[in-house]
Amino acid sequence: MGLRPGVLAAVVLLGMVGAQGHAAADDYPTRQIKIIVPFPAGAGPDQVARMLGQHLQDALGQTVVIENRSGALGSIGAQEVARSVPDGYTLLMGTNTTQASNVSMLKNLPYDPAKDFAPILRTVTTAMVLLVKPDFPAKDLSQFMEYAKTHQNMTAGYGSGASQISNAQLQSRGGMSIISASYRGVPLAVTDVIAGVIDLAFADFSVAIPQMQGGTLRGIGVTSPKRNELTPGLPALAEAMPGFEATIWYGLLAPANTPEPIIKRLYTESEKILSTPAVREKLANLGMVVSTMPPAEFGSFIRSEITRWTAEAKAAGIEAK
């Protein structure tokens, strides 16, 4: 039985589009690649994106630029990538905030973190440090817990889903009175702690460590379940507040429907870069553990993380805004 002319034309057209897509994937990349970081320059995801981008540039033979699109807990930058042409030339350095916790943090989220992206690979996992000024009255976690009993309405900045949930955990698990202030990114909240505008902030290790080493801020505790090798003198906050945890991650993603050969090429080159001892050591010095996941596994992980962070937000009493 022959096909009708209209159906035949559609089949031919689809074949041509498919062939063009494979051709485009076969010689990818042929021009500049852009990685959008949905948080400010200097934030943990930004540092990983710039390190990875520099090496990808050499591996792929094309310029890789990093653009920061911060605001609304990373949703502005994530939305831009979700709506981009799925050709491998606009990528996202996403995090547990953009791809998981925003589902419960933001009303009318303008993208679906599971359906609107093609996962490439998870890059690293890390944690945060609770930071205060060096002259803050409480010098350690024990004193901080005592201080909080008699000082109501301490001000705490946040610039990510994990830092917002950590602020809430101080209240739900520590019984503290906290006033949370929203920032376009964690580094901006940290700047206001230094300036004395707010009392405290949770910051990724990569942001916190230079401040602690420089003496501009002091760490009280870490959000990982156990102490971190980089800061053995800092207790896990869970030691004083059982159940306190905020382990975070970053990962590279493309818009949904990006051709599989392109995803595979980006995964292969990125995984190769992150597996080198020099890169692993540099990231470890920033408090980050290389923990790559291939595309399919990363996609499943994101779906499980949406469930986990939704439960965390609910337990912390956070309502979507």
Side-chain angles (χ1 to χ4, degrees), residues 202-217:
F202 286 90
D204 302 14
F205 264 88
S206 58
V207 175
I209 288 175
Q211 300 297 338
M212 292 188 292
Q213 291 176 337
T216 51
L217 290 174

Side-chain angles (χ1 to χ4, degrees), residues 6-267:
V7 175
L8 178 60
V11 171
V12 171
L13 179 60
L14 285 172
M16 292 173 61
V17 171
Q20 290 172 355
H22 282 294
D26 288 342
D27 60 6
Y28 172 87
T30 59
R31 55 186 172 86
Q32 176 181 285
I33 298 170
K34 176 170 63 177
I35 300 177
I36 290 181
V37 177
F39 297 100
D46 177 73
Q47 294 186 49
V48 174
R50 292 182 187 279
M51 188 181 303
L52 183 60
Q54 178 184 356
H55 290 284
L56 275 177
Q57 189 165 270
D58 296 333
L60 298 175
Q62 293 292 337
T63 301
V64 177
V65 298
I66 310 299
E67 292 191 8
N68 300 90
R69 294 280 191 273
S70 60
L73 293 178
S75 64
I76 293 174
Q79 178 185 8
E80 181 176 338
V81 175
R83 295 181 176 179
S84 297
V85 176
D87 55 9
Y89 292 98
T90 302
L91 309 175
L92 174 72
M93 181 56 71
T95 70
N96 54 280
T97 295
T98 59
Q99 307 309 125
S101 64
N102 272 354
V103 171
S104 54
M105 297 289 185
L106 301 175
K107 291 181 179 179
N108 304 316
L109 188 64
Y111 61 88
D112 186 312
K115 296 179 180 179
D116 291 345
F117 298 88
I120 298 170
L121 87 165
R122 188 179 71 175
T123 55
V124 302
T125 57
T126 185
M128 296 180 293
V129 181
L130 173 57
L131 297 171
V132 297
K133 288 185 67 176
D135 60 358
F136 191 83
K139 303 303 180 184
D140 55 31
L141 180 55
S142 177
Q143 291 182 15
F144 183 81
M145 298 297 292
E146 288 298 318
Y147 180 85
K149 292 179 181 179
T150 56
H151 291 77
Q152 301 292 304
N153 299 327
M154 286 190 291
T155 51
Y158 68 88
S160 68
S163 57
Q164 183 179 3
I165 285 177
S166 293
N167 285 351
Q169 287 190 88
L170 290 178
Q171 300 183 93
S172 62
R173 300 186 186 278
M176 304 176 191
S177 174
I178 301 292
I179 297 176
S180 288
S182 176
Y183 287 81
R184 291 179 68 87
V186 168
L188 302 179
V190 169
T191 297
D192 268 7
V193 177
I194 295 172
V197 177
I198 56 177
D199 295 315
L200 56 95
F202 286 90
D204 302 14
F205 264 88
S206 58
V207 175
I209 288 175
Q211 300 297 338
M212 292 188 292
Q213 291 176 337
T216 51
L217 290 174
R218 187 173 70 252
I220 294 294
V222 298
T223 64
S224 50
K226 298 180 180 179
R227 298 189 182 212
N228 188 284
E229 293 180 358
L230 275 182
T231 55
L234 286 183
L237 294 170
E239 293 177 26
M241 293 171 274
F244 197 115
E245 181 189 353
T247 301
I248 55 183
W249 52 266
Y250 317 141
L252 193 65
L253 305 103
N257 300 316
T258 298
E260 187 175 345
I262 291 177
I263 297 295
K264 185 176 181 180
R265 177 84 191 279
L266 288 167
Y267 166 73

Side-chain angles (χ1 to χ4, degrees), residues 279-294:
V279 170
R280 283 178 175 269
E281 182 180 0
K282 189 171 183 178
L283 289 169
N285 289 334
L286 295 173
M288 300 178 188
V289 178
V290 172
S291 50
T292 58
M293 283 183 177

